[in-house]
C-alpha cells in the first residue's frame, strides 16, 4: 500500500487544493455491491464521492495504491461490544477498545449498556458515557440503552437521545447493577418499544432452566457446558418470539449458540415475526470437544458448544436464518478471567476477540469454501442494516469513507500480548490464521492509533 500526494505525483501540475477529491484509493480488488473488481474510490469531505473502474482518470490530493495481495473492504460494523468505561475501565476502555477494533478492520462499534458503571439505563448515564467516549474513540461509536426493572419511563427519553435500541437479560447478567427482566416484563417493555419502533435485543437464556441445571465447578469444561444447557436458550428464544409476535415489536437474539433454536427462528421469520439473530466468532470457530481443562479463557455465556452444533450455525448463516456476526467482546482483568486457577465456576465469562473477528471468520469461511464477500455481508452490511446506519457497511457514493484494507492470503499467528485489548487474555492466543488487516480508514482519514478521530453516532443518523 503506497501513498502519494497531488503535489508530488509524477506529471501532476494541479494544485492539491483544486483536485476533484481529497483522497483516491485504487486497487485491483475493491469490494462493492457484493463483487470484487479493480476499482477506484474517490473521497470528498469524509464520504465516498465516486466509485469508478480502475483505469478511469481520477485525481486526488492524496492517492493510495493498494497492492495485489490487498482487498479494499467497507469498514466493519460491530454491534455487540462491551467497552466497560466508565466504572470498569481496568477491564477495557474506549481508547483500547477502539484501537483494537480499528486494528481488526472495525470502523464502527455499538457499545453495550452494561459492565460500565453506571449502566446506560437513563439519559444521564448515556451522557456520561458519551462524554468519556468523545475524547478517546479512534473509530465511530454508538450506544445501546438498557431495559431493566423500574426504568420503563426512561425508554422513550433514551430513544430520543439516540440509542439504537435496548438490551435486556432474562437471567442474572453477571453484574448486580444491571438486573434481569422476567419474560412478562420483557413483553411489557417490548409493547412500549413498539410504540416508537425501537429494537429489543435479548440475552436469551431462561433463568428457571439454568437454576435447575448442575452448578459449574472445577476445571472440566464439560461441567460448565452442562450448567448452561441448550434448553435454556431454546426456551428463552421461544419467549422472545412469542413476545415479538404479540406486541409487533422488533426483537433481536444476541449471541446465538444453540442450533436447536434454529427451526423456531426460521418459522417465526416465515410467519412475519420481526426478529433478527446474531452469532459470534467463538461459536463459529471453536468447539467444546477441544477446550482443555482449566482453560477459562474459553468461558462465555451462552457457552461454546459441540462441533456438530457449530456446523449447523454455519448452515444457518448461509440460508439467512442468522443475520450477522458480531464479536460480543466481553473482556475483564486477567485476575477475574483466570480466577480460581482454572475453575469454570469462578472465572468471569466472556471472550475477548474484538481485534480478531475478521481474521477468525475469514479463516474458517475459506476452509468451508465461503467467499470473502459473504463474510463482509455478515460483518458489515447486515450489522449496519440491523441498526439503521445507511452510510456504514458499504462502499457506495454517499456512504461514509470507512474502509478496511485486508490481506486474505497473509498468515497471522495470534499473540495475546501484542493485541490492543487492555488485558492479554483470549482463547485464540497462539492460533494460526490466514488473513490480516493492514489498515483502516474512518471518514476518509487513516487510523493512526495516536489521534482520536471517531465520532459519536446516534440512531436516526443516515
Amino acid at each position: 500500500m503506497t501513498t502519494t500526494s497531488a503535489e508530488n505525483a509524477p506529471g501532476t501540475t494541479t494544485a492539491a487544493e483544486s483536485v476533484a477529491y481529497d483522497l483516491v484509493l485504487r486497487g485491483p480488488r475493491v469490494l462493492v455491491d457484493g463483487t470484487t473488481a479493480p476499482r477506484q474510490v474517490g473521497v470528498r469531505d469524509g464520504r465516498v464521492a465516486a466509485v469508478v473502474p480502475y483505469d478511469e482518470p481520477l485525481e486526488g490530493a492524496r492517492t493510495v495504491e493498494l497492492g495485489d495481495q490487498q482487498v479494499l473492504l467497507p469498514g466493519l460494523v460491530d454491534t455487540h461490544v462491551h467497552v466497560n468505561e466508565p466504572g470498569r475501565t481496568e477491564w477495557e476502555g474506549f481508547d483500547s477498545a477502539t484501537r483494537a477494533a480499528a486494528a481488526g478492520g472495525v470502523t464502527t462499534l455499538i457499545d453495550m449498556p452494561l459492565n460500565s458503571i453506571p449502566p446506560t439505563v437513563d439519559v444521564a448515564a448515556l451522557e456520561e458515557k458519551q462524554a468519556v467516549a468523545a475524547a478517546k474513540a479512534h473509530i465511530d461509536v454508538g450506544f445501546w440503552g438498557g431495559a431493566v426493572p423500574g426504568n420503563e419511563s426512561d425508554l422513550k427519553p433514551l430513544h430520543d437521545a439516540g440509542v439504537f435500541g435496548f438490551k435486556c437479560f432474562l437471567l442474572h447478567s453477571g453484574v448486580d447493577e444491571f438486573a434481569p427482566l422476567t419474560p412478562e416484563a420483557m413483553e411489557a417493555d417490548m409493547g412500549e418499544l413498539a410504540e416508537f419502533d425501537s429494537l429489543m435485543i435479548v440475552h436469551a437464556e431462561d433463568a428457571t432452566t439454568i437454576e435447575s441445571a448442575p452448578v459449574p465447578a472445577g476445571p472440566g469444561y464439560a461441567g460448565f457446558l452442562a450448567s448452561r444447557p441448550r434448553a435454556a436458550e431454546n426456551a428463552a428464544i421461544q419467549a422472545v418470539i412469542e413476545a415479538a409476535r404479540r406486541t409487533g415489536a422488533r426483537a433481536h437474539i444476541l449471541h446465538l449458540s444453540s442450533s436447536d433454536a434454529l427451526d423456531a427462528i426460521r418459522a417465526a421469520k416465515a410467519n412475519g415475526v420481526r426478529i433478527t439473530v446474531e452469532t459470534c466468532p467463538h461459536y463459529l470457530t471453536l468447539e467444546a470437544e477441544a477446550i482443555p481443562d482449566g482453560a477459562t479463557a474459553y468461558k462465555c455465556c451462552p457457552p461454546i458448544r459441540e462441533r456438530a452444533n457449530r456446523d449447523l450455525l454455519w448452515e444457518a448463516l448461509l440460508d439467512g436464518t442468522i443475520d450477522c456476526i458480531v464479536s460480543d467482546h466481553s473482556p475483564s482483568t486477567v485476575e477475574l478471567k483466570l480466577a480460581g486457577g482454572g475453575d469454570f465456576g469462578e472465572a468471569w465469562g466472556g471472550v475477548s476477540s474484538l481485534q480478531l473477528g475478521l481474521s477468525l471468520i475469514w479463516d474458517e469461511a475459506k476452509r468451508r469454501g465461503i467467499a470473502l464477500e459473504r463474510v463482509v455481508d455478515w460483518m458489515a452490511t447486515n450489522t449496519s442494516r440491523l441498526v439503521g446506519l445507511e452510510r456504514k457497511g458499504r462502499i457506495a457514493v454517499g456512504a461514509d469513507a470507512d474502509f478496511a484494507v485486508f490481506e486474505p492470503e497473509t498468515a497471522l499467528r495470534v499473540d495475546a500480548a501484542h493485541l490492543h485489548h487492555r488485558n492479554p487474555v483470549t482463547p485464540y492466543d497462539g492460533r494460526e490464521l490466514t488473513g490480516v488487516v493492514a489498515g483502516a480508514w474512518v471518514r476518509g482519514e487513516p487510523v493512526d492509533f495516536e489521534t482520536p478521530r471517531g465520532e459519536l453516532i446516534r440512531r436516526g443518523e443516515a
Side-chain angles (χ1 to χ4, degrees):
M1 188 165 54
T2 58
T3 303
T4 60
S5 70
E7 294 172 323
N8 62 20
T12 298
T13 58
T14 305
E17 60 268 20
S18 67
V19 296
Y21 302 100
D22 305 323
L23 169 70
V24 172
L25 298 102
R26 60 195 310 266
R29 294 192 283 177
V30 178
L31 176 55
V32 176
D33 291 335
T35 63
T36 302
R39 292 183 171 105
Q40 297 180 93
V41 180
V43 175
R44 187 186 302 119
D45 297 327
R47 295 197 192 179
V48 175
V51 179
V52 300
Y54 182 81
D55 294 327
E56 184 172 316
L58 211 63
E59 286 196 26
R62 294 170 292 159
T63 298
V64 174
E65 183 78 37
L66 273 66
D68 291 342
Q69 79 281 14
Q70 296 177 323
V71 186
L72 187 68
L73 306 177
L76 305 185
V77 177
D78 192 337
T79 56
H80 193 148
V81 180
H82 294 267
V83 177
N84 306 332
E85 188 176 16
R88 290 191 174 96
T89 310
E90 69 275 15
W91 293 18
E92 195 72 274
F94 283 101
D95 178 56
S96 57
T98 57
R99 286 171 183 261
V106 175
T107 54
T108 302
L109 69 79
I110 313 296
D111 171 66
M112 281 290 161
L114 73 154
N115 297 350
S116 57
I117 301 175
T120 316
V121 295
D122 55 39
V123 172
L126 172 65
E127 290 174 345
E128 183 174 350
K129 185 174 284 193
Q130 288 172 327
V132 173
K136 298 183 179 182
H138 296 271
I139 64 171
D140 287 353
V141 175
F143 304 90
W144 295 107
V148 298
N151 84 325
E152 298 87 352
S153 63
D154 292 297
L155 301 181
K156 185 60 162 58
L158 278 165
H159 173 79
D160 292 343
V163 299
F164 287 89
F166 297 87
K167 181 176 185 176
C168 74
F169 278 74
L170 295 178
L171 79 172
H172 194 278
S173 68
V175 292
D176 291 338
E177 67 273 5
F178 198 94
L181 297 177
T182 64
E184 295 77 17
M186 175 189 68
E187 183 167 339
D189 279 359
M190 287 172 69
E192 172 74 10
L193 299 188
E195 294 295 320
F196 42 91
D197 198 32
S198 190
L199 176 66
M200 180 70 87
I201 64 175
V202 185
H203 182 120
E205 289 183 286
D206 178 67
T208 301
T209 306
I210 297 291
E211 288 166 4
S212 301
V215 176
Y221 185 75
F224 173 67
L225 185 59
S227 77
R228 314 292 292 213
R230 296 177 188 224
E233 270 195 276
N234 304 339
I237 288 169
Q238 192 61 51
V240 175
I241 290 170
E242 293 306 318
R245 189 194 315 276
R246 287 190 287 264
T247 62
R250 294 187 294 132
H252 180 73
I253 303 298
L254 297 168
H255 43 51
L256 179 70
S257 164
S258 171
S259 62
D260 290 354
L262 292 170
D263 284 345
I265 293 165
R266 289 188 181 102
K269 288 188 170 191
N271 290 327
V273 178
R274 303 171 73 195
I275 192 162
T276 50
V277 184
E278 69 184 35
T279 192
C280 308
H282 37 284
Y283 303 128
L284 296 167
T285 65
L286 303 173
E287 57 192 49
E289 296 92 333
I291 296 177
D293 286 353
T296 51
Y298 291 81
K299 180 181 177 180
C300 58
C301 300
I304 297 158
R305 302 194 189 278
E306 301 83 358
R307 184 182 304 113
N309 182 88
R310 180 187 65 186
D311 292 342
L312 290 171
L313 296 180
W314 276 101
E315 290 179 15
L317 279 162
L318 290 169
D319 71 22
T321 304
I322 299 175
D323 300 273
C324 51
I325 302 172
V326 298
S327 68
D328 186 15
H329 179 69
S330 185
S332 70
T333 63
V334 174
E335 292 75 18
L336 283 172
K337 193 62 190 162
L338 304 181
D343 188 323
F344 277 94
E346 294 189 32
W348 174 260
V351 171
S352 294
S353 65
L354 181 55
Q355 186 170 331
L356 300 170
L358 179 57
S359 299
L360 289 164
I361 294 301
W362 166 238
D363 184 79
E364 184 70 19
K366 182 179 180 183
R367 187 177 68 81
R368 293 171 180 268
I370 298 170
L372 180 60
E373 291 83 355
R374 295 299 305 274
V375 170
V376 173
D377 281 346
W378 296 322
M379 302 185 76
T381 309
N382 292 357
T383 47
S384 299
R385 185 178 299 124
L386 172 70
V387 293
L389 288 174
E390 297 177 2
R391 295 207 310 260
K392 302 293 188 184
R394 61 197 181 104
I395 298 176
V397 173
D400 287 343
D402 299 345
F403 311 114
V405 178
F406 189 55
E407 298 179 359
E409 287 84 36
T410 300
L412 167 67
R413 187 178 188 277
V414 178
D415 182 348
H418 289 90
L419 298 175
H420 288 277
H421 304 163
R422 183 176 296 277
N423 291 283
V425 181
T426 177
Y428 303 108
D429 191 30
R431 192 177 178 109
E432 304 284 347
L433 302 172
T434 302
V436 172
V437 174
W441 300 67
V442 175
R443 300 176 187 264
E445 294 294 333
V447 179
D448 61 11
F449 302 107
E450 298 299 326
T451 308
R453 58 167 47 93
E455 296 189 13
L456 303 186
I457 55 175
R458 294 169 172 81
R459 175 205 47 79
E461 295 180 345

